[in-house]
Amino acid sequence: MENLLGIDIGGTKCAITYGRYENDRVEIIDKVCFPTTEVGDTIKGIKASVAGVMQRNGLEASNTKAIGISCGGPLDSKSGTVMSPPNLPGWNSIPIVKIIEDEFGIPAAIHNDANACALAEWKFGAGKGCRNMVFLTFGTGLGAGLILDGKLYTGTNDNAGELGHIRLSDFGPVGYGKSGSFEGFCSGGGIRQLAQARVKEQLQMGKTVAWCKDHDKEDISAKAVAEAAHNGDPVALGIYRTVSEYLGKGLAMVIDMINPEVIVIGSIYARNEQLMKADMEKILDKEALGLSRKVCRILPAELGEYIGDYAALSVAATIEN
């Protein structure tokens, strides 16, 4: 049995998790959260919270294997440095791994949140037991992580797997700085943009959209579109059909390039698989290389709302002392 600590640094909150790792399973024993504020105060909060969790659970450097850190990118996992993530103002070239190791005398490592979540789903979730897996976040944006030949692949400078940046169409919703990108079509922000355009079409034709409150297009959310689609609304179903088809196009590229055993998709897909699977698979069967498509399963993520906790602990579990 190994004691692991996880630090999940988010734009609005941080979480410190203690887990026991044994027989390829992790049990979460303790967790504390606190708001993310100014960088100096947040680092002080991380130190204090880790110290509190350790004291409360009888942990010290001698009986704790590692500390894993999950954080939004960009970052340098090799040097352990956070490099100006857009959701963490002031985190400019912060050597967070060294800070944590110097404070607690425990080996530490960091990965961006998509890579950390890929590790989590591979070690403890839908991708457990496979050697080649792709994980897609499919949340506010479209992040990705690659498990290749039984280990996380991060690329030359931690930019491997930035699939959201692939352009799928010359025109379309904007995501990752590109109109018509994979993220533009397959993310919460992209779904909102598609919905705003479709609702505008309906309103200009003198039609009403029941789920668009007071005909205010700016008030539309991806959640509202999903709820309307589950209730059978034709406009919302049409939006999800478009999203599903472009998901299939993007996944076909991934399958042809990487030849994974499993593609695990989180968040919006995991919650709405029944709305998306059939249309996505039609495109996959048409576009992907047959031999590669045949051996690849598309699965919803399993870890749900706890994936951030498992992500940081998964980074810790992969540290080789």
Side-chain angles (χ1 to χ4, degrees):
M1 188 270 289
E2 296 173 336
N3 293 315
L4 304 175
L5 289 167
I7 302 172
D8 183 17
I9 304 173
T12 58
K13 69 178 179 67
C14 294
I16 312 301
T17 308
Y18 161 44
R20 291 177 184 153
Y21 183 44
E22 187 174 16
N23 298 325
D24 292 327
R25 295 175 60 87
V26 67
E27 179 186 7
I28 295 175
I29 305 299
D30 197 0
K31 176 181 174 179
V32 296
C33 299
F34 62 92
T36 303
T37 55
E38 185 271 333
V39 56
D41 289 340
T42 299
I43 291 173
K44 289 179 183 177
I46 290 171
K47 290 179 179 180
S49 296
V50 170
V53 168
M54 291 180 69
Q55 183 177 27
R56 188 159 58 246
N57 293 282
L59 301 178
E60 51 192 36
S62 61
N63 64 7
T64 304
K65 177 181 183 288
I67 300 175
I69 306 168
S70 172
C71 181
L75 54 80
D76 183 340
S77 63
K78 296 175 181 64
S79 68
T81 305
V82 180
M83 302 167 63
S84 305
N87 66 337
L88 289 171
W91 286 72
N92 304 318
S93 299
I94 302 296
I96 190 64
V97 167
K98 184 178 188 303
I99 290 170
I100 295 300
E101 287 183 337
D102 288 350
E103 181 76 12
F104 298 103
I106 299 169
I110 188 170
H111 282 297
N112 71 51
D113 44 11
N115 284 341
C117 288
L119 283 172
E121 284 290 341
W122 175 53
K123 293 187 74 66
F124 307 119
K128 189 173 182 179
C130 73
R131 290 191 63 79
N132 295 291
M133 186 197 90
V134 176
F135 172 76
L136 299 178
T137 59
F138 205 148
T140 303
L142 187 74
L146 308 177
I147 304 295
L148 303 181
D149 199 21
K151 58 185 178 181
L152 178 67
Y153 178 73
T154 60
T156 303
N157 64 348
D158 283 307
N159 283 307
E162 295 292 0
L163 304 178
H165 199 239
I166 296 171
R167 196 188 300 277
L168 299 180
S169 172
D170 289 337
F171 302 98
V174 177
Y176 220 125
K178 282 184 180 178
S179 61
S181 66
F182 200 170
E183 181 174 291
F185 284 103
C186 298
S187 66
I191 290 172
R192 181 173 182 268
Q193 291 176 62
L194 281 171
Q196 287 173 329
R198 297 287 172 86
V199 167
K200 184 176 181 180
E201 291 174 351
Q202 294 294 306
L203 295 179
Q204 288 185 349
M205 295 300 292
K207 300 177 182 179
T208 60
V209 180
W211 45 272
C212 181
K213 184 180 179 182
D214 299 324
H215 305 314
D216 183 1
K217 298 186 297 298
E218 296 304 314
D219 196 46
I220 293 172
S221 67
K223 182 179 179 181
V225 180
E227 290 174 349
H230 280 290
N231 290 328
D233 180 86
V235 175
L237 286 171
I239 293 166
Y240 260 87
R241 190 173 304 112
T242 297
V243 173
S244 303
E245 289 172 352
Y246 276 97
L247 177 61
K249 291 179 181 181
L251 294 185
M253 294 180 183
V254 174
I255 289 171
D256 288 354
M257 287 188 290
I258 297 174
N259 190 202
E261 297 167 63
V262 180
I263 297 175
V264 179
I265 313 178
S267 198
I268 291 172
Y269 180 83
R271 293 193 295 269
N272 301 288
E273 183 185 21
Q274 67 271 41
L275 291 175
M276 306 182 72
K277 185 175 181 179
D279 291 317
M280 173 197 72
E281 289 187 336
K282 286 179 185 177
I283 300 297
L284 273 179
D285 292 340
K286 176 184 176 184
E287 297 290 341
L289 186 66
L291 290 174
S292 298
R293 169 72 182 102
K294 185 177 180 180
V295 298
C296 182
R297 294 174 292 148
I298 315 295
L299 300 175
E302 289 184 357
L303 299 178
E305 62 185 289
Y306 300 105
I307 193 167
D309 303 331
Y310 285 101
L313 292 172
S314 297
V315 175
T318 58
I319 296 175
E320 297 180 2
N321 292 357

